[in-house]
C-alpha cells in the first residue's frame, strides 16, 4: 500500500485554517509526495500534508466560454503570501454576494 498515490478533489483549497480538516487528519502520516489535490476556488493552499496542487479557476472557466485561448487551470505552489490569498478570497466573496441577492 505504500506505493499508492491519492488524488483529493475539493471545492475549496486545502488550508490549515479551515477548522476541522478531515483530509489533513486522515492523510497526515501518508507522505506529502504521494498526495495531490485538485480544487476549484481562487484561494491558495498552505497545507504541508499535500505536495502538489492543481487549481481550476471558476472565473477562468466562465471566460474561456468566450475566448477558448484562456487557460482554466494551473499547478499551484503551497504557501503563497497571505496578502495574495486574502485578496483572492475577497474577490470571490464579493462575486458570490452579488449573485446571491
Amino acid at each position: 500500500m505504500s506505493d499508492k498515490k491519492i488524488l483529493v478533489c475539493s471545492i475549496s483549497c486545502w488550508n490549515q485554517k479551515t477548522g476541522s480538516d478531515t483530509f489533513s487528519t486522515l492523510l497526515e502520516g501518508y507522505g506529502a509526495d504521494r498526495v495531490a489535490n485538485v480544487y476549484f476556488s481562487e484561494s491558495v493552499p498552505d497545507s504541508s500534508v499535500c505536495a502538489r496542487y492543481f487549481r481550476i479557476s471558476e472565473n477562468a472557466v466562465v471566460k474561456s466560454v468566450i475566448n477558448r485561448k484562456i487557460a482554466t487551470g494551473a499547478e499551484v505552489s503551497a504557501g503563497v503570501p497571505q496578502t495574495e490569498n486574502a485578496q483572492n478570497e475577497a474577490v470571490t466573496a464579493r462575486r458570490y454576494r452579488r449573485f446571491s441577492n
Side-chain angles (χ1 to χ4, degrees), residues 31-72:
D33 58 330
R34 295 180 295 171
V35 180
N37 178 225
V38 175
Y39 68 96
F40 302 94
S41 70
E42 295 293 327
S43 301
V44 179
D46 68 355
S47 178
S48 60
V49 177
C50 181
R52 299 187 74 185
Y53 298 93
F54 191 83
R55 172 176 55 200
I56 299 174
S57 169
E58 293 174 328
N59 192 25
V61 170
V62 172
K63 288 181 180 179
S64 73
V65 172
I66 297 167
N67 183 356
R68 296 283 182 189
K69 294 181 182 179
I70 293 177
T72 57

Side-chain angles (χ1 to χ4, degrees), residues 10-50:
S10 60
I11 300 293
S12 58
C13 72
W14 205 331
N15 272 329
Q16 299 292 343
K17 67 178 183 177
T18 56
S20 60
D21 190 5
T22 306
F23 291 136
S24 293
T25 305
L26 289 174
L27 301 172
E28 192 170 38
Y30 196 72
D33 58 330
R34 295 180 295 171
V35 180
N37 178 225
V38 175
Y39 68 96
F40 302 94
S41 70
E42 295 293 327
S43 301
V44 179
D46 68 355
S47 178
S48 60
V49 177
C50 181

Side-chain angles (χ1 to χ4, degrees), residues 17 42-44 55 80-95:
K17 67 178 183 177
E42 295 293 327
S43 301
V44 179
R55 172 176 55 200
V80 172
Q82 287 299 100
T83 55
E84 181 181 333
N85 199 13
Q87 290 171 348
N88 288 339
E89 289 176 357
V91 168
T92 302
R94 278 195 308 264
R95 183 180 304 126

